[in-house]
Amino acid sequence: MTITDFERVDRILRRALEYEGERRERWIRRATRGEPDLEVRVRKLLEAANDDGGFAPGGAHELASGRLGETGSELGALTAGDRVGKYRILGTLGRGGMATVYLAERADGEFEHQVALKLLDPAPFDEESRRRFHDERRILARFRHPHVAQIHDGGLARDGRPFFVLEWVDGLPLDEHCSQQGLGLEQRLRLILQVLDALGEAHRQLVVHRDLKPSNLLVTADGRVKMLDFGIAKILQDVESTVDRQQAHATTRFLRVLTPQYASPEQVRGEAISTATDIYQVGGLLYLLLAGRTPHDLSGSTPADVERIVCAEVPPPPSEVASTAWRRRLTGDLDAIVMKALRKEPRMRYESAAELAADLEAYLDRRPVSARRGATWYRMRRWVRRHAVLTTLLVLLGVYALTVTWLGWRFDKERRAAEASASLAIASSNFLQDLFRDADPYRAGRGDLTVRDLLDRAQERADRQFAAEPLTAAAVQGLIARALLNLGDRGAAAESLSRVDALLERGADGFGTELIRFDALATAAVLAQHESRLSEAGELIDRADALFEQLPQAHRTREGRARILRLRGRGADLAGRHADAVEIFRNAEEISAGGARPDWDRVLLARHDRVLAMIRGGMNLDQAVELATESIELHQRHLGEDHPMLVHHLVLAGRGYGSLAWRADPARSEERASGFERGLELLEAAATAASRHFDPSSPVVAEIEFLRGGFAYSNGALDDALEYYKGAYRAHSGRESFASDAAASAKWVGLTYLALEQPEKALQYIQQAVDIRLQIVDGKDYRLAQARATLAQVYHRLGRLDSAIEELRLAVDTFQDELSDHKLRVPLTEFLVTTLLDRIEADLDGGLMGRETHVLVDEARTLLGRLPSDGAASAGAETQKARLAQLERALEELP
Amino acid sequence: MERVEPRGRPEADGHVLQAAEEITRELLRYAEGEAGAFDRVVDLVYRDLRRLARRQLRRYPRRHLETTALVHELYIRFASGHNQIWRNRGHFYAASAKAMRHILVDEARRVSRVKRGGSLDPEPLTDRIADQGNPDLMLRVDDALNKLAEHDPRMAQVFECRFFAGYSSAEVADIFDTPRRTVQRDWTRACAWLRTIVGS
């Protein structure tokens, strides 16, 4: 145990650590030439350096007191009798790429069940990944489902490696079970339905599996599926990426962690993982169970091959590779289902596990085909009635094609251009017919084809059909982009817009290019506004405006002009110049209203935005409410009762009444109450109308419910508020892009429970809100702090002061550096001080003072010192200082 | 369930102030170049840190000993008086890491002794260790670290701060006023050396 020649060996080591690969080798050989002993020593050191010698930061206390320490071998494999935390190893169950699974039991005999203990290979080396591991584990432990192997426990082993303790499942992997039992096609589909059921629940809680493969899906003897390793792939990847930062190539890094056969394109590329990733993997499993092989044959592939195959090659439909006996049954419905789940673009897959399950169920209890064929026309009409948004979109497509044709004949003298535009029109109208025809035989009878489905189809068709006609494709693509944006899918809209650009490049100078470009610029501006890139939006609007002025007279329509104004108005509104915005919107309204026939659709669109700007700017609210009410009447008169835009006008009017009530003098309670009630009435009408046009989990429905919750809460109708907020939470959860809204809804459900004096229930929901925030934010976030503070409020109410203090410390920590000026810093700090003082007082009252009490006093004093000593906050701080002083005196007076 | 037990008489506020002033004075001397002053700070911090550790282990028996949090807590206590401890904050943290090391090594020594049938300490760090942990390995690491410090004291100190006190590499970089990358390199190198010394 002595170190000889330290300086020399260390110098070689240091250089060697700076180099990699071949260079490192060369250096070692040169530096140790002719001294084999020295070479061995250096190599040993380097080997130890590889995994930091098995040391983890902060690992010392585990060596000393071994809270979760293990006896037996220090690193590597465990054998029977070894201990990990509270568990004793009984034997090895299996070994995977990054982890080993042991059979184990509780060492303290607390319960007798045998469990599976999964010990991951890499250790999380920095604070950040440790913290993430703990957060993650907490969420996983709370997630329960009959088809999911429950995670009981977990922690870090003595050497820093994470481990999980899972329910031990005695079963066979999914594919082996199917072949051993000789299951038929329908029985296989029913197994997948079990998987989808569990997946749906997990996705609602924002837990993504990421590594679905047969060996993670065990089937017990009585035919129940149990899913293993939920969310563990995420932890592995987090840890792995901190261990291996130099490993630049995403695919290589990924392949170390997961199995490539079921990997989705986004995983292979190292892009964002979402619930759609699991859908893809279920697609792969379906493929395996139906066709008897995986979608792609990756044997012997290099990482680069894997990336190319998974991302670019479309596998043959299952019916083409299945055994002849099943081939016919797969053709059609099942082929379509599997291939939709396996789409390369995540957004083109099924939107949820439930949606995929619904399709499989529809297949399973399919009625005779002849019955469906007979009623096609009837169902199609009914379907059109039920889908006003879609109908509008389709009409828009049709009108566009017609306009282009008409203008083409009238203004363009050149024959070629006329022909081109004619073919554009014919292509577009065929396109529409195809869409309808396509929509029917598959499932129009069920009447739940969504706008999104149709758009996806439109996209698919446009890609195929207009490959040789870039301009037509661009026109259709432009409309798709607009519709996607209206649906709130910004990522997909952006993608669609860039396709428009590319298509316009290819079909340069054809007839209609300028018009399509104008449309694309305007849509891009809206997108930029949605994403708060305001100056960029301004530039796009200017470009669109300039382009507009250069269009031939006949193309410079009032719609175009009004559209530019509405864009400018929204820009002003978003920039906080509400008065300007109101003026611009008024202009847009006038343009659309002028002429022989007012264009009511657009008049009311401008009106809607104008009123919204008034409410947001807190301008003349009475007038806003009046205008909104009038809009509803105009809408009903000119555009009918049954139009999706009417929903927005109703919401707006409702919001207006609510804002009036919130503004009203609290003393005039009757005025307030009637304001909220009128607001609630309008929102109820909005909800009824929305149920006809939007699906129940759509953001519009959720927004309505959330507003209703707010009004009911403010009006003291707490039971109602609870229902509404729960509705908003239901609608929002499960949609990743609205996770933040889901957290807000969960928080308010909790606060309502708190107001109803049911703190335990409140705790449950607010914890959920914090968990959701933890999933979506990285690092410091004021909304996470806010949620923690709310959680602290509940703990405080429950008398769990230590927990409250813990959450508040974390919340206050958020505002240490870059957010130190945030308006939440002072109130949160004050809340923490108050809680500390309460805790001290409790100690004092109970005669339980100790050194800890003094520590708390010191902490409170330090925190008070950091609060501003002047301004609005001073009142609270002064009171607290006085209270602190009083407590300190009381402490001193004690014997 | 967490059980709240009476914790005896509160000590006078005076103690904190006095200790803080003493520590501030020693830190100042150390900054001026008086080598022995550092160890005196370690001694001064040791007692308080150990108490906080005991309290934490008793209050949250299921949790790890959160060494970093303890040091921060201690710092807040001392820094809240009118002394100027913050001027030498880095040195304070370095000394606390060493004190934490002493605490943990003493504990390992005690456990090792108990395991060999030795006598019981009247005031152990925690009552519930018994058959867990690996105190002998801890003692070997401590020994090896002493040897390493003879050759490269800075590297040894970086290891001390990270392994025993659990500071993040950013915190250590702050303490020694070096780039974070250097800290990470020192840490890896120290780990490699210790592993080979302990392993042999």
Side-chain angles (χ1 to χ4, degrees):
Chain A
M1 270 231 251
T2 51
I3 315 175
T4 49
D5 239 1
F6 175 85
E7 273 71 27
R8 186 165 168 231
V9 181
D10 193 52
R11 194 171 53 83
I12 301 172
L13 172 68
R14 224 186 271 221
R15 284 279 280 278
L17 281 173
E18 272 166 39
Y19 299 150
E20 268 181 50
E22 187 49 34
R23 245 183 118 194
R24 178 186 280 187
E25 271 307 303
R26 273 208 308 276
W27 163 249
I28 296 173
R29 278 201 298 274
R30 209 180 76 209
T32 64
R33 188 174 305 151
E35 294 175 86
D37 288 352
L38 181 64
E39 187 178 338
V40 170
R41 280 186 70 191
V42 171
R43 287 198 188 279
K44 263 196 179 159
L45 279 165
L46 280 170
E47 199 184 309
N50 238 350
D51 64 342
D52 283 351
F55 292 104
H61 57 272
E62 288 171 5
L63 274 188
S65 56
R67 227 100 290 272
L68 290 162
E70 66 199 56
T71 54
S73 50
E74 287 164 22
L75 293 165
L78 307 178
T79 50
D82 284 348
R83 290 185 54 173
V84 177
K86 297 188 287 275
Y87 299 87
R88 185 185 300 116
I89 302 295
L90 299 172
T92 308
L93 288 173
R95 156 125 212 108
M98 302 290 284
T100 313
V101 185
Y102 300 98
L103 186 65
E105 63 177 9
R106 277 282 286 248
D108 54 10
E110 197 132 300
F111 55 76
E112 281 178 15
H113 294 301
Q114 292 183 342
V115 293
L117 189 146
K118 185 169 184 126
L119 186 62
L120 307 188
D121 286 350
F125 279 122
D126 58 18
E127 288 290 321
E128 174 63 19
S129 51
R130 273 164 172 256
R131 194 179 55 71
R132 279 218 295 260
F133 170 69
H134 282 293
D135 287 343
E136 204 70 44
R137 212 188 73 205
R138 202 168 67 140
I139 289 162
L140 292 178
R142 203 177 298 159
F143 173 53
R144 277 157 212 270
H145 190 278
H147 290 307
V148 172
Q150 170 72 26
I151 294 186
H152 295 307
D153 199 355
L156 296 177
R158 187 195 49 69
D159 58 13
R161 285 184 292 169
F163 70 87
F164 288 92
V165 179
L166 307 148
E167 174 185 350
W168 179 52
V169 180
D170 187 11
L172 277 179
L174 187 65
D175 51 341
E176 282 177 39
H177 173 83
C178 288
S179 51
Q180 203 189 63
Q181 303 278 318
L183 294 188
L185 189 144
E186 302 208 338
Q187 288 166 303
R188 290 175 188 225
L189 293 181
R190 294 198 191 279
L191 285 177
I192 294 290
L193 282 173
Q194 294 187 31
V195 173
L196 287 168
D197 187 39
L199 214 49
E201 183 56 36
H203 289 177
R204 259 190 292 285
Q205 302 193 22
L206 294 176
V207 178
V208 179
H209 192 296
R210 293 170 178 233
D211 194 17
L212 290 168
K213 54 184 176 188
S215 59
N216 273 340
L217 299 164
L218 298 185
V219 188
T220 57
D222 57 347
R224 278 180 312 126
V225 177
K226 284 274 189 182
M227 302 172 78
L228 308 181
D229 287 3
F230 244 104
I232 291 180
K234 173 158 190 269
I235 291 171
L236 260 178
Q237 269 175 326
D238 281 355
V239 168
E240 183 68 358
S241 61
T242 59
V243 171
D244 215 359
R245 285 204 190 81
Q246 295 98 328
Q247 187 66 267
H249 199 263
T251 308
T252 321
R253 194 165 57 215
F254 161 81
L255 288 177
R256 292 187 43 172
V257 183
L258 298 177
T259 13
Q261 271 80 6
Y262 300 93
S264 67
E266 64 270 19
Q267 283 178 306
V268 169
R269 289 202 202 98
E271 291 168 1
I273 304 299
S274 69
T275 52
T277 309
D278 285 351
I279 298 291
Y280 180 92
Q281 295 186 331
V282 172
L285 291 167
L286 270 170
Y287 201 103
L288 177 76
L289 295 193
L290 298 178
R293 50 160 264 203
T294 53
H296 300 290
D297 179 17
L298 297 171
S299 51
S301 304
T302 66
D305 288 341
V306 170
E307 183 173 343
R308 184 180 47 76
I309 294 171
V310 173
C311 298
E313 280 187 13
V314 178
S319 63
E320 281 180 27
V321 292
S323 68
T324 32
W326 282 12
R327 204 158 280 182
R328 187 117 58 88
R329 297 172 71 187
L330 296 180
T331 313
D333 289 353
L334 285 176
D335 268 353
I337 293 174
V338 174
M339 295 311 277
K340 179 166 182 185
L342 282 172
R343 288 296 301 246
K344 306 289 181 204
E345 313 86 335
R347 65 177 186 88
M348 303 290 270
R349 297 174 203 148
Y350 286 98
E351 214 179 328
S352 66
E355 210 183 309
L356 173 50
D359 248 10
L360 289 176
E361 273 160 8
Y363 172 83
L364 284 171
D365 42 55
R366 182 174 43 169
R367 276 164 283 145
V369 178
S370 59
R372 293 164 73 186
R373 201 176 289 148
T376 303
W377 179 239
Y378 162 74
R379 265 200 308 273
M380 197 156 102
R381 269 186 324 192
R382 224 187 57 186
W383 178 85
V384 168
R385 257 213 306 277
R386 293 176 67 145
H387 291 87
V389 182
L390 192 55
T391 316
T392 315
L393 171 72
L394 293 175
V395 169
L396 198 64
L397 248 157
V399 167
Y400 180 75
L402 289 176
T403 316
V404 172
T405 325
W406 180 68
L407 293 172
W409 283 111
R410 186 166 163 200
F411 292 97
D412 220 319
K413 297 275 177 338
E414 277 181 56
R415 213 180 127 63
R416 246 184 88 231
E419 268 170 10
S421 59
S423 77
L424 182 82
I426 292 163
S428 304
S429 78
N430 282 344
F431 184 74
L432 284 182
Q433 285 174 7
D434 283 355
L435 273 182
F436 271 106
R437 202 185 51 216
D438 214 31
D440 171 61
Y442 192 45
R443 50 189 207 171
R446 289 172 46 224
D448 61 353
L449 193 63
T450 61
V451 180
R452 188 50 188 268
D453 280 331
L454 206 90
L455 283 176
D456 285 350
R457 262 156 217 245
Q459 179 77 67
E460 260 171 67
R461 269 189 177 280
D463 287 352
R464 243 195 347 259
Q465 219 163 306
F466 302 133
E469 298 160 65
L471 272 189
T472 313
V476 172
Q477 194 64 252
L479 288 170
I480 292 175
R482 241 163 116 172
L484 283 169
L485 197 54
N486 285 339
L487 284 178
D489 191 337
R490 293 168 201 163
E495 206 177 300
S496 200
L497 279 172
S498 63
R499 280 167 175 232
V500 175
D501 278 347
L503 287 165
L504 284 176
E505 284 300 307
R506 274 175 53 204
D509 294 337
F511 179 81
T513 311
E514 302 299 304
L515 210 55
I516 299 169
R517 197 184 296 280
F518 169 71
D519 184 64
L521 280 171
T523 311
V526 177
L527 177 64
Q529 287 177 340
H530 277 319
E531 295 182 339
S532 309
R533 293 179 276 118
L534 293 186
S535 63
E536 199 183 323
E539 278 164 32
L540 285 166
I541 298 169
D542 288 343
R543 275 174 59 200
D545 202 348
L547 193 64
F548 184 79
E549 291 304 327
Q550 283 165 19
L551 289 174
Q553 176 63 35
H555 284 60
R556 272 183 276 141
T557 55
R558 64 176 177 177
E559 286 102 69
R561 213 174 286 284
R563 191 166 172 202
I564 294 173
L565 281 175
R566 288 201 308 273
L567 284 171
R568 290 205 187 282
R570 222 166 294 147
D573 188 31
L574 290 171
R577 294 183 285 114
H578 303 293
D580 289 354
V582 170
E583 211 41 54
I584 299 172
F585 284 129
R586 198 207 305 276
N587 252 327
E589 222 175 298
E590 273 166 19
I591 289 180
S592 297
R597 286 183 57 205
D599 181 352
W600 285 111
D601 212 332
R602 278 138 183 123
V603 169
L604 288 170
L605 213 57
R607 166 72 69 85
H608 177 274
D609 290 356
R610 177 173 144 210
V611 176
L612 191 61
M614 291 173 79
I615 294 178
R616 280 161 49 99
M619 298 155 70
N620 196 337
L621 277 180
D622 290 307
Q623 198 199 344
V625 167
E626 209 172 292
L627 282 170
T629 317
E630 194 193 58
S631 305
I632 295 170
E633 281 160 26
L634 286 172
H635 206 290
Q636 287 166 336
R637 192 173 334 138
H638 298 288
L639 298 171
E641 294 273 352
D642 203 21
H643 189 288
M645 196 57 206
L646 183 58
V647 175
H648 292 284
H649 286 288
L650 288 166
V651 172
L652 190 63
R655 192 199 285 266
Y657 275 107
S659 305
L660 269 180
W662 268 318
R663 267 264 191 104
D665 186 349
R668 301 165 71 174
S669 57
E670 264 171 50
E671 193 181 314
R672 273 173 69 97
S674 80
F676 285 129
E677 269 151 33
R678 181 81 187 102
L680 280 166
E681 272 167 35
L682 285 159
L683 288 173
E684 191 179 341
T688 314
S691 70
R692 283 199 299 274
H693 299 292
F694 302 98
D695 86 34
S697 66
S698 91
V700 182
V701 173
E703 190 201 350
I704 295 173
E705 294 302 290
F706 193 76
L707 277 173
R708 287 168 103 181
F711 293 174
Y713 185 96
S714 305
N715 209 20
L718 293 178
D719 289 323
D720 290 349
L722 195 60
E723 278 315 301
Y724 296 141
Y725 280 134
K726 278 187 175 171
Y729 177 53
R730 255 197 313 276
H732 275 315
S733 56
R735 276 179 188 257
E736 272 180 289
S737 46
F738 287 90
S740 177
D741 300 270
S745 315
K747 189 176 101 175
W748 276 99
V749 174
L751 284 172
T752 313
Y753 269 125
L754 197 63
L756 282 167
E757 302 292 342
Q758 299 186 42
E760 268 88 10
K761 283 250 173 59
L763 186 64
Q764 196 183 327
Y765 277 92
I766 292 170
Q767 270 174 345
Q768 188 71 36
V770 172
D771 286 350
I772 295 173
R773 295 260 177 237
L774 277 171
Q775 295 265 306
I776 54 176
V777 302
D778 220 10
K780 304 197 165 173
D781 180 275
Y782 74 92
R783 277 164 309 188
L784 175 58
Q786 215 167 15
R788 284 198 198 279
T790 315
L791 187 55
Q793 203 181 330
V794 182
Y795 280 136
H796 196 281
R797 176 77 63 90
L798 285 167
R800 291 166 62 177
L801 293 179
D802 283 330
S803 298
I805 290 172
E806 207 164 323
E807 292 296 337
L808 284 169
R809 279 183 187 144
L810 286 166
V812 169
D813 249 8
T814 310
F815 303 104
Q816 269 336 343
D817 348 299
E818 61 255 59
L819 290 174
S820 59
D821 288 337
H822 198 279
K823 62 177 193 276
L824 281 176
R825 187 181 74 91
V826 171
L828 285 187
T829 311
E830 283 187 0
F831 187 16
L832 177 52
V833 173
T834 307
T835 315
L836 287 168
L837 296 179
D838 290 347
R839 176 79 173 72
I840 297 164
E841 208 168 67
D843 274 7
L844 223 110
D845 288 348
L848 303 171
M849 298 71 52
R851 291 292 294 271
E852 306 74 86
T853 317
H854 289 273
V855 173
L856 294 178
V857 169
D858 290 337
E859 188 182 349
R861 193 189 302 126
T862 311
L863 286 165
L864 277 172
R866 287 200 219 128
L867 287 175
S869 53
D870 57 305
S874 68
E878 287 313 313
T879 322
Q880 290 182 324
K881 273 180 194 158
R883 194 173 158 211
L884 177 64
Q886 206 178 355
L887 286 172
E888 281 177 308
R889 270 199 304 283
L891 277 171
E892 269 168 31
E893 282 165 13
L894 286 168
Chain B
M1 275 301 288
E2 186 188 325
R3 201 162 53 87
V4 184
E5 40 187 295
R7 297 176 202 115
R9 278 175 43 197
E11 286 173 51
D13 229 13
H15 164 78
V16 178
L17 281 180
Q18 202 184 331
E21 267 164 31
E22 215 170 323
I23 287 168
T24 313
R25 210 160 44 233
E26 295 298 339
L27 283 173
L28 206 62
R29 283 189 188 139
Y30 177 64
E32 281 164 3
E34 196 183 318
F38 187 78
D39 290 333
R40 287 200 290 280
V41 179
V42 175
D43 286 344
L44 284 167
V45 174
Y46 179 91
R47 221 184 48 172
D48 286 310
L49 208 50
R50 193 166 188 285
R51 285 221 182 127
L52 291 181
R54 257 174 69 75
R55 185 204 66 183
Q56 199 192 59
L57 285 174
R58 211 154 6 125
R59 199 182 264 184
Y60 305 108
R62 282 169 188 284
R63 283 197 216 165
H64 290 254
L65 187 60
E66 285 162 5
T67 46
T68 324
L70 288 179
V71 178
H72 286 322
E73 187 174 339
L74 191 65
Y75 178 75
I76 288 182
R77 289 184 56 191
F78 289 144
S80 52
H82 291 289
N83 60 74
Q84 303 204 316
I85 201 165
W86 47 270
R87 278 185 195 278
N88 295 294
R89 194 163 156 269
H91 293 152
F92 173 83
Y93 275 98
S96 300
K98 193 176 271 304
M100 186 58 81
R101 174 181 167 193
H102 289 332
I103 291 169
L104 292 172
V105 170
D106 287 351
E107 180 66 11
R109 205 165 277 139
R110 181 184 77 84
V111 173
S112 174
R113 202 166 55 229
V114 172
K115 277 188 175 171
R116 284 196 301 272
S119 60
L120 286 167
D121 197 307
E123 204 195 353
L125 191 60
T126 157
D127 317 313
R128 32 194 323 283
I129 30 163
D131 58 336
Q132 295 188 354
N134 190 339
D136 295 329
L137 182 60
M138 169 77 111
L139 297 177
R140 296 217 303 279
V141 170
D142 180 57
D143 213 18
L145 189 56
N146 284 335
K147 291 200 171 71
L148 192 64
E150 286 169 22
H151 297 283
D152 192 335
R154 220 271 306 274
M155 182 164 84
Q157 239 181 335
V158 167
F159 181 86
E160 193 171 77
C161 286
R162 299 216 65 198
F163 186 67
F164 291 101
Y167 301 154
S168 69
S169 52
E171 284 169 328
V172 179
D174 201 34
I175 291 172
F176 296 109
D177 197 19
T178 50
R180 214 167 129 173
R181 261 188 35 217
T182 314
V183 172
Q184 269 153 358
R185 281 199 199 125
D186 280 350
W187 160 256
T188 301
R189 221 154 36 89
C191 290
W193 274 108
L194 290 172
R195 173 75 179 168
T196 46
I197 302 170
V198 170
S200 66

